[in-house]
């Protein structure tokens, strides 16, 4: 264990990962053999008829028939009926090992009974949202503070997107500066100013349809790990109103899909101090998953602001929040501080007792049961098994993990070069290969996050890990270039 109480047993060698990724990107794209793919598609036709019918009907009322960005839509999305511990069950009764885990927050496994029972008690007593102060708002803020002491004050919001939006607004209010620097490829929700260079560094406004250009005029990007580049941006901004904040996902963009060096965050902290910019840690995925102290505890870094998401309601609805020092957070005090500059935020359903109680009890259990560490051990076992399979079939795929966040790159879609004139064609090609790979895994009983990431939980065990590795084994046998 690299650091006591944390899920990451050893920091992955990012240079080695980048080297392997270069080799993967230089190779032809691997795909599932057509004859095997036919069999996997046959699974969907014969075993998932209920999902197919439901999605067909949903298409009449919902754009594309599905609401979730993280759903696999190929050959069609599956309709889920039940979630329990490490498993999901679709409407046709098929069982899947679940590594999406609601996008990460269900570290205890899905529908963890002791939390569910408390939530039901709270709803019965005071309704999901009476609209005024409830003790669980306080309990949630306190338990976050107890584990992450740099979060002196905490403001509940409704989503990670809102929390990121709020963090940059607070940073601008506090510093009086405008520029925000993010890391290319990172996701900080879908607000107007942060839909900028998503997934692939350098893609800038690629996905900013419907967002006026001037809205992202103060959003800039640095390359992952490029500390010199960050210094240059900060220096440039000094002559142009200054930098309000640098915002990072502390493991690297997309939960570490492009991993950062072990000392990256400390160097960013130093530069922020030198240039008077705030450091924002987006811990939507890492808070409590990396360990009770979050990534900031693991790296021993004090961010000025911390962004939280789904974990602060343990995977129940309405989950987000932002926290930081008393001084910085005073910019966002509700209904007080007349005359002082205030970052305006709100949300009728924010801080509702149901979500706050769910978050409070989930975090309490996660800490008491050492869930992050257990999930991290499951991630280690899974990653080791994946590497064995990659070696067994001599495939160029790349697998690594930081505790319970396991990455496995089969097509490297997020490693494409934004400057490549053929990028759109290549994205299409790699996305399709990835969709087929994801469908093949699903047909073998395993659901991942977008075919390249796994979030393990405390509910995984040797049996689920074996089921998973057997599924990967069957699919890897059927890959060709
Ligand atoms: C790092 C990060 N920030 C922000 C968000 C946005 O959170 P939400 O989906 O709650 O808006 C996500 C979502 O997964 C995320 O991974």
């Amino acid at each position: 264990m690299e650091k006591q109480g944390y899920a990451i047993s050893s920091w992955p060698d990012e240079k080695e990962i980048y080297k392997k990724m270069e080799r993967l990107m230089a190779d032809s794209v691997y795909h599932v053999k057509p004859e095997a793919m036919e069999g996997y598609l046959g699974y969907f036709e014969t075993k998932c008829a209920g999902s197919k019918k439901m999605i067909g009907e949903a298409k009449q009322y919902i754009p594309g028939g599905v609401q979730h960005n993280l759903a696999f839509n190929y050959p069609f999305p599956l309709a889920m009926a039940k979630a329990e511990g490490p498993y999901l069950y679709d409407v046709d009764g098929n069982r899947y090992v679940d590594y999406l885990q609601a996008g990460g927050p269900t570290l205890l496994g899905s529908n963890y009974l002791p939390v569910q029972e408390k939530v039901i008690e709270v709803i019965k007593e005071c309704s999901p949202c009476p609209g005024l102060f409830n003790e669980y708002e306080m309990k949630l803020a306190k338990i976050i503070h107890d584990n992450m002491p740099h979060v002196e004050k905490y403001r509940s919001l409704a989503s990670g997107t809102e929390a990121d939006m709020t963090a940059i607004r607070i940073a601008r209010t506090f510093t009086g500066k405008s520029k925000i620097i993010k890391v290319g490829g990172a996701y900080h929700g879908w607000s107007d100013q942060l839909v900028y260079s998503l997934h692939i560094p350098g893609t800038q406004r690629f996905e900013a349809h419907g967002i006026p250009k001037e809205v992202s005029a103060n959003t800039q990007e640095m390359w992952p790990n490029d500390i010199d580049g960050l210094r240059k941006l900060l220096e440039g901004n000094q002559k142009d109103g200054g930098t309000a904040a640098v915002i990072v996902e502390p493991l690297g963009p997309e939960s570490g899909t492009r991993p950062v060096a072990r000392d990256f965050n400390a160097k960013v902290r130093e530069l922020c101090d030198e240039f008077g910019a705030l450091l924002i840690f987006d811990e939507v995925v890492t808070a409590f998953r990396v360990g009770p102290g979050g990534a900031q505890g693991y790296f021993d870094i004090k961010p000025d602001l911390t962004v939280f998401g789904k974990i602060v309601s343990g995977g129940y609805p309405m989950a987000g929040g932002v926290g930081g020092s008393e001084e910085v957070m005073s910019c966002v005090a509700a209904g007080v501080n007349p005359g002082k500059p205030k970052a305006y935020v709100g949300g009728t359903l924010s801080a509702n007792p149901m979500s706050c109680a769910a978050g409070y009890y989930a975090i309490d259990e996660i800490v008491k049961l050492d869930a992050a560490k257990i999930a991290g051990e499951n991630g280690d076992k899974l990653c080791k098994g994946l590497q064995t399979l990659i070696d067994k079939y001599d495939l160029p795929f790349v697998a690594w993990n930081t505790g319970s966040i396991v990455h496995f790159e089969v097509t490297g879609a997020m490693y494409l070069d934004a400057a490549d004139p053929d990028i759109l064609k290549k994205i299409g090609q790699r996305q399709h290969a990835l969709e087929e790979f994801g469908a093949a895994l699903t047909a073998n009983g395993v659901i991942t996050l977008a075919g390249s990431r796994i979030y393990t939980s405390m509910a995984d065990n040797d049996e689920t890990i074996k089921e998973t590795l057997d599924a990967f084994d069957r699919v890897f046998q059927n890959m060709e270039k």
Side-chain angles (χ1 to χ4, degrees):
M1 182 57 55
E2 197 184 51
K3 190 163 177 182
Q4 279 304 312
Y6 285 85
I8 302 172
S9 56
S10 65
W11 187 250
D13 179 349
E14 85 285 352
K15 290 204 176 78
E16 192 54 38
I17 294 166
Y18 282 107
K19 249 192 252 159
K20 288 184 178 176
M21 285 306 302
E22 253 176 53
R23 282 201 293 271
L24 176 72
M25 299 311 285
D27 210 332
S28 309
V29 181
Y30 275 69
H31 56 265
V32 181
K33 289 177 190 161
E35 59 276 21
M37 202 58 227
E38 215 173 290
Y40 297 140
L41 293 178
Y43 166 86
F44 284 88
E45 286 301 321
T46 55
K47 302 274 185 178
C48 307
S51 282
K52 188 174 182 184
K53 185 162 176 279
M54 202 175 280
I55 294 295
E57 194 181 349
K59 277 187 181 157
Q60 293 176 47
Y61 310 106
I62 295 169
V66 66
Q67 321 254 21
H68 304 275
N69 285 346
L70 296 178
F72 264 126
N73 298 338
Y74 183 77
F76 47 81
L78 293 181
M80 292 302 166
K82 179 176 159 182
E84 189 175 55
Y87 293 113
L88 281 173
Y89 299 81
D90 67 19
V91 291
D92 295 289
N94 302 302
R95 190 182 81 172
Y96 305 90
V97 188
D98 171 20
Y99 293 115
L100 181 57
Q101 287 295 338
T106 48
L107 252 182
L108 299 160
S110 285
N111 238 343
Y112 186 72
L113 215 54
V115 175
Q116 190 205 71
E117 283 165 358
K118 292 287 186 189
V119 171
I120 291 169
E121 254 175 52
V122 171
I123 298 175
K124 279 187 175 163
E125 193 59 35
C126 73
S127 91
C129 188
L132 290 173
F133 189 86
N134 181 279
E135 69 166 320
Y136 285 107
E137 290 175 43
M138 189 270 290
K139 284 187 151 171
L140 176 63
K142 182 173 181 320
I143 201 168
I144 293 172
H145 168 74
D146 288 347
N147 288 285
M148 301 172 77
H150 302 312
V151 180
E152 291 171 5
K153 294 280 158 74
Y154 173 78
R155 173 87 198 231
S156 282
L157 297 153
S159 68
T161 297
E162 282 193 8
D164 276 311
M165 216 163 77
T166 302
I168 63 174
R169 191 171 295 174
I170 294 173
R172 285 171 169 151
T173 306
F174 186 77
T175 62
K177 301 171 184 175
S178 305
K179 299 277 191 291
I180 301 292
I181 302 175
K182 76 178 283 274
V183 180
Y187 181 62
H188 301 294
W190 51 272
S191 70
D192 279 0
Q193 297 183 51
L194 291 170
V195 174
Y196 190 81
S197 278
L198 302 187
H199 311 305
I200 302 174
T203 48
Q204 299 181 1
R205 289 178 44 83
F206 231 52
E207 306 197 53
H209 304 287
I211 301 174
K213 242 189 178 150
E214 52 279 19
V215 175
S216 25
N218 286 308
T219 309
Q220 300 174 326
E221 100 184 272
M222 65 172 288
W223 232 250
N225 282 313
D226 183 8
I227 290 293
D228 293 341
L230 175 59
R231 173 175 283 284
K232 282 199 190 107
L233 279 175
L234 289 163
E235 281 171 354
N237 291 347
Q238 287 284 77
K239 297 167 209 140
D240 188 21
T243 308
V246 179
I247 180 166
V248 299
E249 288 182 69
L251 300 183
E254 286 284 348
S255 303
T257 296
R258 286 183 184 247
V260 290
R262 180 78 171 76
D263 61 356
F264 170 76
N265 293 292
K267 288 181 174 165
V268 177
R269 173 74 275 178
E270 276 172 26
L271 282 177
C272 284
D273 290 342
E274 186 180 332
F275 287 88
L278 299 196
L279 172 61
I280 304 172
F281 264 20
D282 182 337
E283 295 231 37
V284 166
V285 171
T286 52
F288 301 99
R289 181 164 277 282
V290 164
Q296 55 200 266
Y298 175 74
F299 290 113
D300 230 343
I301 305 273
K302 180 184 176 187
D304 298 295
L305 286 164
T306 302
V307 169
F308 296 88
K310 40 214 157 192
I311 187 65
V312 291
S313 62
Y316 280 74
M318 303 297 291
V322 62
S325 69
E326 173 154 15
E327 195 190 2
V328 173
M329 287 299 290
S330 67
C331 296
V332 80
V336 288
N337 281 351
K340 278 196 171 179
K342 194 164 115 178
Y344 192 90
V345 298
T348 312
L349 297 184
S350 297
N352 68 77
M354 182 194 81
S355 311
C356 291
Y360 167 73
Y361 287 115
I363 292 170
D364 192 42
E365 292 283 311
I366 285 169
V367 175
K368 276 203 281 218
L369 300 173
D370 228 355
K373 194 159 167 268
I374 299 168
E377 285 161 4
N378 291 329
D380 285 348
K381 284 185 204 164
L382 204 50
C383 193
K384 206 166 150 215
L386 283 177
Q387 190 58 54
T388 305
L389 292 173
I390 290 170
D391 295 341
K392 175 174 164 188
Y393 294 105
D394 195 21
L395 292 162
F397 306 158
V398 189
W400 73 97
N401 74 308
T402 42
S404 57
I405 305 169
V406 183
H407 298 273
F408 54 98
E409 289 291 339
V410 168
T411 69
M414 286 200 235
Y415 273 76
L416 285 166
D417 178 0
D420 183 340
D422 283 335
I423 188 170
L424 284 179
K425 196 174 116 207
K426 288 182 180 169
I427 288 177
Q429 193 188 21
R430 282 174 194 265
Q431 283 293 12
H432 184 60
L434 192 60
E435 273 177 352
E436 289 196 330
F437 176 74
L441 273 181
T442 304
N444 278 281
V446 173
I447 288 185
T448 62
L449 193 163
S452 63
R453 201 179 311 163
I454 275 174
Y455 291 129
T456 55
S457 76
M458 185 185 83
D460 293 313
N461 51 53
D462 289 348
E463 198 177 313
T464 57
I465 291 170
K466 183 174 178 324
E467 276 177 58
T468 308
L469 292 173
D470 287 348
F472 270 91
D473 194 337
R474 287 191 291 274
V475 176
F476 279 1
Q477 279 175 45
N478 284 309
M479 302 289 289
E480 66 179 11
K481 54 179 166 175

